[in-house]
Amino acid sequence: MAAQKKSAPNTIALNRKARFDYFIEQEFEAGVALQGWEVKSLRDGRAQLKESYVTVADGEVFLVGAHFSPLQSASSHVNPEPTRKRKLLLHKKEINKLIGAVERDRYTIAPLSLYWKRGRVKVKIALARGKRQYDKRQTVKQRDWERDKQRLFRSRQ
């Protein structure tokens, strides 16, 4: 078994690319409206947020493009659709804040992680601004320097 990055035991999926591509301004926690087979799939850890995004339509917020792989043992009468739109459950005040930021301030909404909280599936979404290419290079430089700094400290001790 390959060594995987350690994360919290309740984490299902992370979108690490989002932190690289966007400046994260504000984070929100949202519930996800799921079908039964999706919950079983998530319990097995079969989710991916890599190419997913969040849209706002008719005063509702949806998670689009998240891939939940169906289990082989799923029921025969259920027709699983792995990348369907899933409704996110937020308070009206939070939805209005997101709509205002997206429409007026040119923000985007990015999903950051999918996790369990008290037996329920939650998704952490963020109001984010896109990074330019030079910002991404600066982020890579900063990350490399932090890694080298840690190596130097370890070798000195």
Side-chain angles (χ1 to χ4, degrees):
M1 191 165 150
Q4 294 177 349
K5 290 272 186 193
K6 290 194 175 190
S7 61
N10 57 357
T11 301
I12 301 167
L14 292 173
N15 187 0
R16 296 178 59 202
K17 190 76 170 162
R19 294 202 185 266
F20 180 74
D21 288 339
Y22 300 104
F23 291 114
I24 305 300
E25 300 288 331
Q26 188 175 6
E27 295 181 357
F28 296 92
E29 181 180 71
V32 186
L34 298 172
Q35 296 177 348
W37 70 268
E38 293 171 326
V39 176
K40 290 179 183 181
S41 175
L42 290 177
R43 290 205 186 280
D44 201 29
R46 296 171 165 259
Q48 204 173 43
L49 289 176
K50 196 170 196 168
E51 295 179 8
S52 61
Y53 57 95
V54 176
T55 61
V56 179
D58 299 328
E60 295 179 332
V61 183
F62 294 96
L63 178 64
V64 181
H67 191 278
F68 295 2
S69 300
L71 295 174
Q72 297 292 14
S73 61
S75 178
S76 61
H77 69 280
V78 174
N79 187 15
E81 188 180 338
T83 56
R84 73 178 185 89
K85 272 179 27 175
R86 294 167 179 91
K87 185 174 178 182
L88 297 182
L89 309 172
L90 290 159
H91 291 285
K92 194 67 175 173
K93 190 183 290 186
E94 292 173 329
I95 293 173
N96 291 337
K97 188 173 209 173
L98 290 172
I99 290 171
V102 168
E103 290 179 356
R104 285 190 298 271
D105 300 333
R106 316 234 315 135
Y107 280 94
T108 187
I109 308 169
L112 300 177
S113 64
L114 196 64
Y115 56 94
W116 294 103
K117 185 173 181 181
R118 290 192 220 131
R120 305 230 189 308
V121 177
K122 302 288 183 177
V123 64
K124 184 168 287 202
I125 59 175
L127 272 177
R129 271 194 205 274
K131 287 185 182 179
R132 296 232 164 27
Q133 191 63 36
Y134 58 83
D135 293 328
K136 292 178 185 180
R137 283 194 294 267
Q138 186 64 31
T139 301
V140 170
K141 239 188 243 186
Q142 184 68 26
R143 191 178 341 143
D144 290 344
W145 166 240
E146 291 296 326
R147 192 178 316 125
D148 291 342
K149 193 167 57 171
Q150 289 298 323
R151 282 189 197 133
L152 287 172
F153 285 142
R154 271 186 259 140
S155 66
R156 300 252 184 225
Q157 291 177 350

Short mmCIF file of all heavy atoms in Angstrom, two decimals, residues 21-70:
data_model
loop_
_atom_site.label_atom_id
_atom_site.label_comp_id
_atom_site.label_asym_id
_atom_site.label_seq_id
_atom_site.Cartn_x
_atom_site.Cartn_y
_atom_site.Cartn_z
N ASP A 21 -4.39 27.44 -6.72
CA ASP A 21 -4.94 28.25 -7.79
C ASP A 21 -5.65 29.52 -7.31
O ASP A 21 -5.87 30.43 -8.11
CB ASP A 21 -5.94 27.44 -8.61
CG ASP A 21 -5.26 26.40 -9.47
OD1 ASP A 21 -4.06 26.55 -9.74
OD2 ASP A 21 -5.92 25.42 -9.87
N TYR A 22 -6.03 29.59 -6.03
CA TYR A 22 -6.82 30.71 -5.54
C TYR A 22 -6.26 31.27 -4.24
O TYR A 22 -5.67 30.56 -3.44
CB TYR A 22 -8.27 30.26 -5.27
CG TYR A 22 -8.99 29.73 -6.47
CD1 TYR A 22 -9.19 28.36 -6.62
CD2 TYR A 22 -9.47 30.58 -7.44
CE1 TYR A 22 -9.86 27.86 -7.72
CE2 TYR A 22 -10.14 30.09 -8.55
CZ TYR A 22 -10.33 28.73 -8.68
OH TYR A 22 -10.98 28.24 -9.77
N PHE A 23 -6.52 32.57 -4.02
CA PHE A 23 -6.33 33.18 -2.71
C PHE A 23 -7.63 32.95 -1.95
O PHE A 23 -8.69 33.40 -2.39
CB PHE A 23 -6.09 34.70 -2.82
CG PHE A 23 -4.79 35.07 -3.44
CD1 PHE A 23 -4.75 35.72 -4.66
CD2 PHE A 23 -3.59 34.80 -2.80
CE1 PHE A 23 -3.55 36.09 -5.23
CE2 PHE A 23 -2.38 35.16 -3.36
CZ PHE A 23 -2.36 35.80 -4.58
N ILE A 24 -7.56 32.27 -0.83
CA ILE A 24 -8.76 31.95 -0.05
C ILE A 24 -9.07 33.14 0.86
O ILE A 24 -8.26 33.53 1.68
CB ILE A 24 -8.54 30.67 0.80
CG1 ILE A 24 -8.11 29.50 -0.08
CG2 ILE A 24 -9.79 30.35 1.60
CD1 ILE A 24 -9.08 29.11 -1.15
N GLU A 25 -10.26 33.70 0.70
CA GLU A 25 -10.66 34.87 1.49
C GLU A 25 -11.48 34.48 2.72
O GLU A 25 -11.20 34.92 3.81
CB GLU A 25 -11.48 35.83 0.61
CG GLU A 25 -10.74 36.33 -0.61
CD GLU A 25 -9.66 37.34 -0.28
OE1 GLU A 25 -9.80 38.06 0.73
OE2 GLU A 25 -8.67 37.40 -1.03
N GLN A 26 -12.54 33.69 2.50
CA GLN A 26 -13.43 33.32 3.60
C GLN A 26 -13.94 31.90 3.38
O GLN A 26 -14.26 31.53 2.25
CB GLN A 26 -14.60 34.30 3.66
CG GLN A 26 -15.48 34.13 4.85
CD GLN A 26 -16.56 35.21 4.91
OE1 GLN A 26 -16.71 36.01 4.00
NE2 GLN A 26 -17.32 35.20 5.99
N GLU A 27 -14.02 31.12 4.45
CA GLU A 27 -14.46 29.73 4.34
C GLU A 27 -15.85 29.56 4.95
O GLU A 27 -16.20 30.23 5.92
CB GLU A 27 -13.47 28.81 5.05
CG GLU A 27 -12.11 28.78 4.40
CD GLU A 27 -11.13 27.84 5.08
OE1 GLU A 27 -11.50 27.22 6.11
OE2 GLU A 27 -10.01 27.72 4.58
N PHE A 28 -16.62 28.64 4.37
CA PHE A 28 -17.95 28.30 4.85
C PHE A 28 -18.05 26.78 4.95
O PHE A 28 -17.41 26.06 4.18
CB PHE A 28 -19.03 28.78 3.87
CG PHE A 28 -19.10 30.26 3.72
CD1 PHE A 28 -18.38 30.90 2.73
CD2 PHE A 28 -19.90 31.02 4.56
CE1 PHE A 28 -18.44 32.27 2.57
CE2 PHE A 28 -19.97 32.38 4.41
CZ PHE A 28 -19.25 33.02 3.42
N GLU A 29 -18.88 26.32 5.87
CA GLU A 29 -19.16 24.89 5.99
C GLU A 29 -20.59 24.65 5.52
O GLU A 29 -21.51 25.34 5.95
CB GLU A 29 -19.02 24.45 7.45
CG GLU A 29 -19.28 22.99 7.66
CD GLU A 29 -19.13 22.60 9.11
OE1 GLU A 29 -20.01 22.99 9.91
OE2 GLU A 29 -18.15 21.92 9.43
N ALA A 30 -20.76 23.70 4.61
CA ALA A 30 -22.08 23.43 4.06
C ALA A 30 -22.38 21.95 4.13
O ALA A 30 -21.49 21.12 3.97
CB ALA A 30 -22.14 23.89 2.60
N GLY A 31 -23.63 21.63 4.34
CA GLY A 31 -24.08 20.25 4.26
C GLY A 31 -24.28 19.89 2.79
O GLY A 31 -24.37 20.75 1.93
N VAL A 32 -24.37 18.59 2.51
CA VAL A 32 -24.55 18.13 1.14
C VAL A 32 -25.77 17.21 1.09
O VAL A 32 -25.89 16.29 1.89
CB VAL A 32 -23.31 17.36 0.64
CG1 VAL A 32 -23.45 17.01 -0.83
CG2 VAL A 32 -22.04 18.15 0.88
N ALA A 33 -26.67 17.47 0.15
CA ALA A 33 -27.84 16.61 -0.05
C ALA A 33 -27.40 15.42 -0.91
O ALA A 33 -27.03 15.60 -2.07
CB ALA A 33 -28.96 17.38 -0.72
N LEU A 34 -27.43 14.22 -0.33
CA LEU A 34 -26.91 13.03 -1.00
C LEU A 34 -27.97 11.95 -1.13
O LEU A 34 -28.95 11.94 -0.39
CB LEU A 34 -25.73 12.46 -0.22
CG LEU A 34 -24.50 13.35 -0.08
CD1 LEU A 34 -23.51 12.71 0.87
CD2 LEU A 34 -23.87 13.58 -1.43
N GLN A 35 -27.73 11.03 -2.04
CA GLN A 35 -28.56 9.83 -2.16
C GLN A 35 -27.89 8.72 -1.36
O GLN A 35 -26.73 8.83 -0.97
CB GLN A 35 -28.68 9.43 -3.63
CG GLN A 35 -29.40 10.45 -4.47
CD GLN A 35 -29.44 10.07 -5.94
OE1 GLN A 35 -28.75 9.15 -6.38
NE2 GLN A 35 -30.25 10.79 -6.70
N GLY A 36 -28.62 7.64 -1.13
CA GLY A 36 -28.13 6.55 -0.29
C GLY A 36 -26.84 5.92 -0.80
O GLY A 36 -25.91 5.67 -0.03
N TRP A 37 -26.76 5.64 -2.10
CA TRP A 37 -25.56 5.00 -2.64
C TRP A 37 -24.35 5.92 -2.51
O TRP A 37 -23.22 5.43 -2.38
CB TRP A 37 -25.78 4.58 -4.10
CG TRP A 37 -25.86 5.72 -5.07
CD1 TRP A 37 -26.97 6.37 -5.48
CD2 TRP A 37 -24.76 6.34 -5.73
NE1 TRP A 37 -26.65 7.36 -6.36
CE2 TRP A 37 -25.29 7.36 -6.54
CE3 TRP A 37 -23.39 6.15 -5.73
CZ2 TRP A 37 -24.50 8.18 -7.33
CZ3 TRP A 37 -22.60 6.96 -6.52
CH2 TRP A 37 -23.16 7.97 -7.31
N GLU A 38 -24.57 7.24 -2.53
CA GLU A 38 -23.45 8.18 -2.39
C GLU A 38 -22.86 8.14 -0.98
O GLU A 38 -21.65 8.20 -0.81
CB GLU A 38 -23.91 9.60 -2.74
CG GLU A 38 -24.26 9.75 -4.20
CD GLU A 38 -24.91 11.07 -4.53
OE1 GLU A 38 -25.66 11.61 -3.69
OE2 GLU A 38 -24.66 11.56 -5.64
N VAL A 39 -23.72 8.01 0.00
CA VAL A 39 -23.25 7.93 1.38
C VAL A 39 -22.41 6.67 1.57
O VAL A 39 -21.34 6.70 2.18
CB VAL A 39 -24.42 7.97 2.38
CG1 VAL A 39 -23.93 7.79 3.80
CG2 VAL A 39 -25.18 9.27 2.24
N LYS A 40 -22.89 5.55 1.03
CA LYS A 40 -22.13 4.30 1.13
C LYS A 40 -20.78 4.43 0.43
O LYS A 40 -19.76 3.96 0.92
CB LYS A 40 -22.92 3.14 0.51
CG LYS A 40 -24.12 2.74 1.31
CD LYS A 40 -24.86 1.62 0.63
CE LYS A 40 -26.11 1.26 1.40
NZ LYS A 40 -26.85 0.16 0.77
N SER A 41 -20.77 5.09 -0.69
CA SER A 41 -19.54 5.31 -1.44
C SER A 41 -18.57 6.19 -0.65
O SER A 41 -17.37 5.92 -0.61
CB SER A 41 -19.86 5.96 -2.78
OG SER A 41 -18.70 6.28 -3.47
N LEU A 42 -19.09 7.21 0.01
CA LEU A 42 -18.24 8.10 0.82
C LEU A 42 -17.69 7.37 2.04
O LEU A 42 -16.56 7.63 2.45
CB LEU A 42 -19.03 9.34 1.25
CG LEU A 42 -19.36 10.31 0.13
CD1 LEU A 42 -20.20 11.46 0.66
CD2 LEU A 42 -18.11 10.83 -0.53
N ARG A 43 -18.48 6.49 2.62
CA ARG A 43 -17.97 5.72 3.76
C ARG A 43 -16.79 4.86 3.35
O ARG A 43 -15.91 4.57 4.13
CB ARG A 43 -19.07 4.84 4.36
CG ARG A 43 -20.12 5.65 5.07
CD ARG A 43 -20.84 4.85 6.11
NE ARG A 43 -21.94 5.60 6.66
CZ ARG A 43 -21.82 6.54 7.59
NH1 ARG A 43 -20.63 6.86 8.04
NH2 ARG A 43 -22.88 7.19 8.04
N ASP A 44 -16.77 4.47 2.08
CA ASP A 44 -15.66 3.69 1.54
C ASP A 44 -14.52 4.58 1.05
O ASP A 44 -13.49 4.08 0.59
CB ASP A 44 -16.18 2.81 0.40
CG ASP A 44 -15.28 1.64 0.12
OD1 ASP A 44 -14.61 1.16 1.06
OD2 ASP A 44 -15.22 1.19 -1.05
N GLY A 45 -14.70 5.91 1.11
CA GLY A 45 -13.65 6.84 0.72
C GLY A 45 -13.50 7.04 -0.77
O GLY A 45 -12.43 7.37 -1.26
N ARG A 46 -14.57 6.85 -1.53
CA ARG A 46 -14.50 6.93 -3.00
C ARG A 46 -15.04 8.27 -3.50
O ARG A 46 -16.08 8.33 -4.14
CB ARG A 46 -15.33 5.80 -3.61
CG ARG A 46 -14.79 4.44 -3.30
CD ARG A 46 -15.80 3.40 -3.76
NE ARG A 46 -15.19 2.09 -3.80
CZ ARG A 46 -14.79 1.51 -4.92
NH1 ARG A 46 -14.89 2.12 -6.06
NH2 ARG A 46 -14.25 0.33 -4.88
N ALA A 47 -14.32 9.35 -3.19
CA ALA A 47 -14.74 10.68 -3.64
C ALA A 47 -13.55 11.45 -4.15
O ALA A 47 -12.41 11.22 -3.72
CB ALA A 47 -15.41 11.43 -2.50
N GLN A 48 -13.82 12.38 -5.06
CA GLN A 48 -12.76 13.19 -5.64
C GLN A 48 -13.30 14.59 -5.89
O GLN A 48 -14.35 14.76 -6.52
CB GLN A 48 -12.32 12.55 -6.95
CG GLN A 48 -10.94 12.90 -7.37
CD GLN A 48 -10.54 12.09 -8.59
OE1 GLN A 48 -11.33 11.95 -9.52
NE2 GLN A 48 -9.34 11.58 -8.58
N LEU A 49 -12.59 15.60 -5.41
CA LEU A 49 -13.00 16.99 -5.59
C LEU A 49 -12.10 17.74 -6.57
O LEU A 49 -12.22 18.94 -6.73
CB LEU A 49 -12.95 17.73 -4.25
CG LEU A 49 -13.98 17.38 -3.21
CD1 LEU A 49 -13.71 18.14 -1.93
CD2 LEU A 49 -15.37 17.67 -3.71
N LYS A 50 -11.22 17.02 -7.23
CA LYS A 50 -10.17 17.65 -8.02
C LYS A 50 -10.68 18.66 -9.05
O LYS A 50 -10.20 19.77 -9.14
CB LYS A 50 -9.34 16.58 -8.72
CG LYS A 50 -8.04 17.07 -9.25
CD LYS A 50 -7.18 15.92 -9.69
CE LYS A 50 -5.76 16.37 -9.85
NZ LYS A 50 -4.85 15.28 -10.01
N GLU A 51 -11.65 18.31 -9.86
CA GLU A 51 -12.14 19.20 -10.91
C GLU A 51 -13.54 19.73 -10.61
O GLU A 51 -14.29 20.09 -11.51
CB GLU A 51 -12.13 18.47 -12.25
CG GLU A 51 -10.74 18.11 -12.69
CD GLU A 51 -10.71 17.36 -14.00
OE1 GLU A 51 -11.77 17.26 -14.65
OE2 GLU A 51 -9.63 16.90 -14.37
N SER A 52 -13.89 19.81 -9.34
CA SER A 52 -15.22 20.27 -8.98
C SER A 52 -15.23 21.77 -8.74
O SER A 52 -14.20 22.39 -8.52
CB SER A 52 -15.71 19.53 -7.74
OG SER A 52 -14.86 19.79 -6.66
N TYR A 53 -16.43 22.33 -8.80
CA TYR A 53 -16.62 23.74 -8.55
C TYR A 53 -18.01 23.95 -7.98
O TYR A 53 -18.83 23.04 -7.98
CB TYR A 53 -16.40 24.57 -9.82
CG TYR A 53 -17.28 24.19 -10.98
CD1 TYR A 53 -18.47 24.86 -11.23
CD2 TYR A 53 -16.93 23.14 -11.83
CE1 TYR A 53 -19.28 24.51 -12.29
CE2 TYR A 53 -17.74 22.79 -12.90
CZ TYR A 53 -18.91 23.47 -13.12
OH TYR A 53 -19.72 23.12 -14.17
N VAL A 54 -18.28 25.18 -7.51
CA VAL A 54 -19.56 25.49 -6.89
C VAL A 54 -20.25 26.56 -7.74
O VAL A 54 -19.62 27.53 -8.15
CB VAL A 54 -19.36 25.99 -5.45
CG1 VAL A 54 -20.68 26.40 -4.83
CG2 VAL A 54 -18.69 24.92 -4.61
N THR A 55 -21.53 26.36 -8.01
CA THR A 55 -22.32 27.34 -8.76
C THR A 55 -23.51 27.79 -7.93
O THR A 55 -23.95 27.08 -7.02
CB THR A 55 -22.85 26.77 -10.09
OG1 THR A 55 -23.70 25.66 -9.80
CG2 THR A 55 -21.72 26.34 -10.99
N VAL A 56 -24.01 28.97 -8.28
CA VAL A 56 -25.20 29.51 -7.64
C VAL A 56 -26.27 29.66 -8.71
O VAL A 56 -26.02 30.28 -9.75
CB VAL A 56 -24.90 30.88 -6.99
CG1 VAL A 56 -26.14 31.45 -6.35
CG2 VAL A 56 -23.78 30.76 -5.99
N ALA A 57 -27.45 29.08 -8.48
CA ALA A 57 -28.54 29.17 -9.45
C ALA A 57 -29.87 29.26 -8.69
O ALA A 57 -30.14 28.45 -7.81
CB ALA A 57 -28.55 27.95 -10.36
N ASP A 58 -30.67 30.25 -9.03
CA ASP A 58 -32.00 30.44 -8.44
C ASP A 58 -31.96 30.50 -6.91
O ASP A 58 -32.81 29.93 -6.23
CB ASP A 58 -32.96 29.32 -8.88
CG ASP A 58 -33.15 29.30 -10.39
OD1 ASP A 58 -33.09 30.39 -10.99
OD2 ASP A 58 -33.33 28.19 -10.94
N GLY A 59 -30.96 31.14 -6.36
CA GLY A 59 -30.87 31.27 -4.91
C GLY A 59 -30.44 30.01 -4.20
O GLY A 59 -30.58 29.91 -2.99
N GLU A 60 -29.93 29.03 -4.93
CA GLU A 60 -29.44 27.79 -4.34
C GLU A 60 -27.99 27.58 -4.76
O GLU A 60 -27.57 28.05 -5.81
CB GLU A 60 -30.30 26.60 -4.79
CG GLU A 60 -31.72 26.67 -4.30
CD GLU A 60 -32.55 25.49 -4.78
OE1 GLU A 60 -32.25 24.93 -5.85
OE2 GLU A 60 -33.49 25.12 -4.06
N VAL A 61 -27.26 26.84 -3.95
CA VAL A 61 -25.84 26.59 -4.21
C VAL A 61 -25.66 25.11 -4.52
O VAL A 61 -26.19 24.25 -3.81
CB VAL A 61 -24.99 27.00 -2.98
CG1 VAL A 61 -23.52 26.82 -3.25
CG2 VAL A 61 -25.28 28.44 -2.58
N PHE A 62 -24.89 24.82 -5.59
CA PHE A 62 -24.70 23.44 -6.03
C PHE A 62 -23.22 23.11 -6.17
O PHE A 62 -22.43 23.94 -6.60
CB PHE A 62 -25.37 23.21 -7.39
CG PHE A 62 -26.86 23.32 -7.34
CD1 PHE A 62 -27.50 24.50 -7.68
CD2 PHE A 62 -27.63 22.24 -6.95
CE1 PHE A 62 -28.87 24.61 -7.63
CE2 PHE A 62 -29.01 22.33 -6.90
CZ PHE A 62 -29.63 23.52 -7.24
N LEU A 63 -22.87 21.88 -5.82
CA LEU A 63 -21.54 21.34 -6.04
C LEU A 63 -21.58 20.58 -7.36
O LEU A 63 -22.35 19.63 -7.51
CB LEU A 63 -21.15 20.40 -4.90
CG LEU A 63 -19.80 19.71 -4.99
CD1 LEU A 63 -18.66 20.74 -4.94
CD2 LEU A 63 -19.65 18.70 -3.86
N VAL A 64 -20.76 21.00 -8.32
CA VAL A 64 -20.78 20.42 -9.66
C VAL A 64 -19.42 19.78 -9.94
O VAL A 64 -18.39 20.35 -9.63
CB VAL A 64 -21.07 21.51 -10.72
CG1 VAL A 64 -21.10 20.92 -12.11
CG2 VAL A 64 -22.37 22.22 -10.41
N GLY A 65 -19.43 18.61 -10.54
CA GLY A 65 -18.20 17.98 -10.98
C GLY A 65 -17.50 17.13 -9.94
O GLY A 65 -16.47 16.54 -10.23
N ALA A 66 -18.02 17.05 -8.73
CA ALA A 66 -17.43 16.17 -7.72
C ALA A 66 -17.74 14.73 -8.12
O ALA A 66 -18.88 14.41 -8.46
CB ALA A 66 -17.98 16.46 -6.34
N HIS A 67 -16.75 13.88 -8.09
CA HIS A 67 -16.91 12.50 -8.57
C HIS A 67 -17.00 11.55 -7.38
O HIS A 67 -16.05 11.41 -6.62
CB HIS A 67 -15.73 12.12 -9.46
CG HIS A 67 -15.95 10.83 -10.18
ND1 HIS A 67 -15.73 9.62 -9.60
CD2 HIS A 67 -16.38 10.58 -11.44
CE1 HIS A 67 -16.00 8.67 -10.47
NE2 HIS A 67 -16.40 9.22 -11.59
N PHE A 68 -18.15 10.91 -7.21
CA PHE A 68 -18.36 9.89 -6.18
C PHE A 68 -18.49 8.56 -6.91
O PHE A 68 -19.49 8.31 -7.58
CB PHE A 68 -19.63 10.15 -5.38
CG PHE A 68 -19.62 11.41 -4.56
CD1 PHE A 68 -18.56 12.29 -4.58
CD2 PHE A 68 -20.69 11.73 -3.76
CE1 PHE A 68 -18.56 13.44 -3.82
CE2 PHE A 68 -20.71 12.88 -3.00
CZ PHE A 68 -19.64 13.74 -3.03
N SER A 69 -17.48 7.72 -6.82
CA SER A 69 -17.49 6.44 -7.52
C SER A 69 -18.50 5.50 -6.89
O SER A 69 -18.46 5.26 -5.69
CB SER A 69 -16.11 5.80 -7.48
OG SER A 69 -15.17 6.63 -8.09
N PRO A 70 -19.41 4.94 -7.69
CA PRO A 70 -20.39 4.00 -7.13
C PRO A 70 -19.74 2.68 -6.75
O PRO A 70 -18.77 2.26 -7.38
CB PRO A 70 -21.40 3.81 -8.25
CG PRO A 70 -20.71 4.24 -9.49
CD PRO A 70 -19.63 5.19 -9.10
#
